[in-house]
Amino acid sequence: MPADRGVPRRDGERIPETGNRGMMTNTQKELLQALRCFMQGDEEYHLPERFSQLKELCDLAAMHKILAIIYEMIRRDSVLLLEENAPLAARWKKSAIAEVMLQVQRTAGFLELYQKLQKEGVHPLVVKGLICRSFYKKPDFRISADEDLLLRKEEFETFDRILLEEGYQRQALDLNNLPYEIPYRNPRNQVYIELHFSLFAEGEGAYGHLNQEFAGAFDRCICEQIEGVDIKTLSPTDHMFYLICHSFKHFLHSGFGIRQVCDMVMMAKHYTTRIDWREIQDKLAQLRMDTFFSALAKIGREYLGCSWEKTGYVDYTQESVDCMPLLVDLLEGGVYGGSTMARRHSANMTLEAARRGKKATASSVWSSLFPGVSYMKGHYVWLCKYPWLLPAAWVMRLFGYAADRKHTEDQSSLEIGNKRVELLRKYHVID
């Protein structure tokens, strides 16, 4: 039996070796192989015969919130069935089943709520989440922690009343000064909703301007039928462009995981020429996001099996773009770049660099160490009531970070921040 039993691409070729050997680990390569097979609708994927990094593969899948997907693809594999791997396989199976069952419950609960909203004349647009899951052959294996809704403000009063009547819980609100994002959670069925009045935070200088690109989104919206329910969502062009912008937003923070690239590939395959790629490419060029997306498209083509030409997208610069640094960054970062505390803290440097449009300066380093009160409120809730205690929160943050580093070999937030600012330069986001 050959040493490498991995499932090849449908065109007979395997994922190519990287030009710079060692940049991707074997575990990361196997994750991509299994993920690509799932996206193509294959029933299983076989690991190399002597694959010994099963625990690392499980941990990596968990970090990217694709634990159920990877287990589903390798559950019949001989490596997983080895006696020494039985305890890990049992825990993995249990976690995968629990994730899928919870997703089924959340999807059913959300569809029930959406129908009630429609009956009351409230029609929010569903973005990402439910829509992206519907593109996969086994949608409930693509886990979604929440459902994002875009709502007209004039519909909020009715929307809010219905959700509260249905048992959803939310924070106290100033109805005359509604926040950009309002989370609702239903403790009964665990449905979690993030309500938005705009797709991006208006006051964020690094990407708040992206909202203007979606003016008229409600007028262009379409209807998708999911499990017999009509769901309003963004037009194919708006939605594809939004997935790119959403990833870009998180790229400017602390990063994003492989799942977002998978969703782009699946959406492109689903809508194909219904997407106006010329419009998207023109916008990307104007916003200095074109090289960034070229790298993502190359990742989709070379590692996730996407034939972009079949979708109507053609990028002649793709060959010259080095996608490996971006691929390694998103594999290391996990979902929304949250793999380590140091990485999350580094977001202040990349955001400041993006706002200034140039390489990080002393001010962005300062921002990483001592963020403003608006950022710190998300981590220390008591600052909402006592903002003058910001210096105390800084001290607690630094001590907590130091304690965290004692137990890890992670790079510091400054090291990661500097490295990620260089990524912004590499992909021409900043000068």
Side-chain angles (χ1 to χ4, degrees):
M1 185 178 294
D4 186 351
R5 301 176 294 123
V7 174
R9 295 186 181 197
R10 297 199 174 204
D11 58 7
E13 297 179 4
R14 291 186 54 79
I15 283 180
E17 293 294 328
T18 66
N20 189 346
R21 292 179 65 87
M23 288 189 69
M24 260 205 309
T25 67
N26 287 333
T27 304
Q28 291 170 339
K29 290 178 183 178
E30 292 305 320
L31 182 92
L32 292 177
Q33 294 269 29
L35 192 52
R36 188 189 73 247
C37 288
F38 177 80
M39 294 167 64
Q40 293 177 160
D42 296 338
E43 291 300 318
E44 59 185 20
Y45 171 73
H46 292 293
L47 296 164
E49 185 177 6
R50 295 177 180 84
F51 185 74
S52 60
Q53 296 88 32
L54 198 62
K55 174 64 165 57
E56 289 85 347
L57 181 63
C58 180
D59 291 343
L60 185 62
M63 187 173 78
H64 285 273
K65 306 297 183 187
I66 52 174
L67 199 68
I69 288 176
I70 302 304
Y71 179 79
E72 174 69 6
M73 297 310 298
I74 68 168
R75 62 189 175 90
R76 300 184 185 91
D77 189 79
S78 59
V79 172
L80 195 69
L81 298 176
L82 291 173
E83 185 176 350
E84 62 263 31
N85 291 327
L88 173 61
R91 292 194 303 272
W92 198 342
K93 178 181 180 180
K94 183 178 180 180
S95 296
I97 291 173
E99 283 190 354
V100 173
M101 290 180 65
L102 181 57
Q103 187 59 66
V104 171
Q105 175 182 297
R106 285 173 171 165
T107 299
F110 176 76
L111 291 174
E112 180 184 357
L113 172 68
Y114 196 84
Q115 291 179 87
K116 290 179 179 177
L117 290 170
Q118 288 179 315
K119 288 178 181 177
E120 294 278 353
V122 179
H123 301 284
L125 303 187
V126 180
V127 295
K128 300 192 290 102
L130 179 71
I131 304 299
C132 289
R133 291 201 306 277
S134 70
F135 301 145
Y136 295 83
K137 182 179 179 180
K138 298 179 179 179
D140 291 314
F141 284 77
R142 193 285 190 208
I143 305 303
S144 242
D146 57 35
E147 294 296 344
D148 290 284
L149 301 182
L150 182 64
L151 185 72
R152 291 185 174 99
K153 276 195 175 180
E154 56 266 30
E155 295 183 348
F156 174 71
E157 185 178 344
T158 306
F159 175 92
D160 187 61
R161 173 181 58 78
I162 293 171
L163 265 69
L164 294 180
E165 289 174 352
E166 291 298 314
Y168 284 80
Q169 300 171 352
R170 60 157 170 80
Q171 66 199 54
L173 294 174
D174 177 359
L175 298 180
N176 295 317
N177 187 26
L178 293 173
Y180 149 72
E181 178 182 286
I182 305 174
Y184 291 82
R185 182 182 295 279
N186 189 322
R188 176 178 54 83
N189 56 20
Q190 299 304 308
V191 176
Y192 183 80
I193 289 171
E194 288 190 350
L195 179 69
H196 302 267
F197 301 111
S198 62
L199 290 171
F200 300 94
E202 293 285 357
E204 176 48 61
Y207 50 79
H209 60 283
L210 293 175
N211 283 312
Q212 65 192 31
E213 305 298 333
F214 297 93
F218 280 95
D219 298 328
R220 297 188 296 271
C221 74
I222 64 169
C223 187
E224 291 279 11
Q225 190 169 89
I226 298 176
E227 296 187 21
V229 179
D230 289 335
I231 304 291
K232 285 198 170 185
T233 187
L234 297 169
S235 72
T237 301
D238 280 343
H239 218 155
M240 187 69 198
F241 185 58
Y242 173 66
L243 290 189
I244 300 168
C245 292
H246 183 70
S247 294
F248 183 75
K249 163 194 161 182
H250 286 287
F251 182 54
L252 298 183
H253 278 264
S254 49
F256 59 96
I258 190 65
R259 203 173 62 180
Q260 292 200 52
V261 189
C262 296
D263 288 346
M264 290 181 206
V265 168
M266 296 303 290
M267 182 172 285
K269 287 181 175 180
H270 179 81
Y271 287 131
T272 62
T273 54
R274 291 177 64 189
I275 299 171
D276 187 337
W277 289 106
R278 174 50 58 191
E279 178 183 333
I280 288 178
Q281 286 176 295
D282 288 346
K283 287 183 176 182
L284 292 175
Q286 293 168 10
L287 295 164
R288 300 190 67 165
M289 294 164 55
D290 49 338
T291 307
F292 168 74
F293 180 62
S294 289
L296 292 182
K298 192 169 185 178
I299 291 170
R301 185 182 67 193
E302 297 195 359
Y303 299 95
L304 299 174
C306 181
S307 174
W308 287 103
E309 290 72 21
K310 292 180 180 179
T311 74
Y313 170 74
V314 179
D315 181 4
Y316 298 104
T317 69
Q318 227 181 95
E319 290 296 336
S320 61
V321 173
D322 180 10
C323 69
M324 186 53 58
L326 181 59
L327 177 57
V328 170
D329 181 69
L330 63 89
L331 286 173
E332 290 178 349
V335 174
Y336 301 142
S339 58
T340 66
M341 184 183 295
R343 190 178 176 101
R344 293 193 294 272
H345 289 172
S346 73
N348 294 291
M349 290 182 66
T350 45
L351 282 170
E352 183 67 13
R355 293 183 191 113
R356 291 172 175 270
K358 56 187 178 183
K359 186 177 179 180
T361 61
S363 65
S364 59
V365 173
W366 178 268
S367 296
S368 179
L369 292 173
F370 305 104
V373 69
S374 60
Y375 174 85
M376 294 292 283
K377 282 179 180 178
H379 303 271
Y380 302 93
V381 180
W382 42 268
L383 282 175
C384 297
K385 190 173 182 180
Y386 307 108
W388 49 273
L389 287 176
L390 178 61
W394 285 337
V395 173
M396 292 177 65
R397 180 177 185 265
L398 291 173
F399 272 110
Y401 175 56
D404 180 66
R405 288 203 74 202
K406 284 181 181 179
H407 300 93
T408 68
E409 296 180 357
D410 293 332
Q411 295 172 292
S412 73
S413 59
L414 295 182
E415 291 170 325
I416 294 174
N418 281 323
K419 180 181 176 182
R420 299 203 69 253
V421 167
E422 288 304 313
L423 277 182
L424 300 190
R425 294 183 68 195
K426 180 177 182 62
Y427 297 109
H428 304 161
V429 177
I430 61 174
D431 295 324

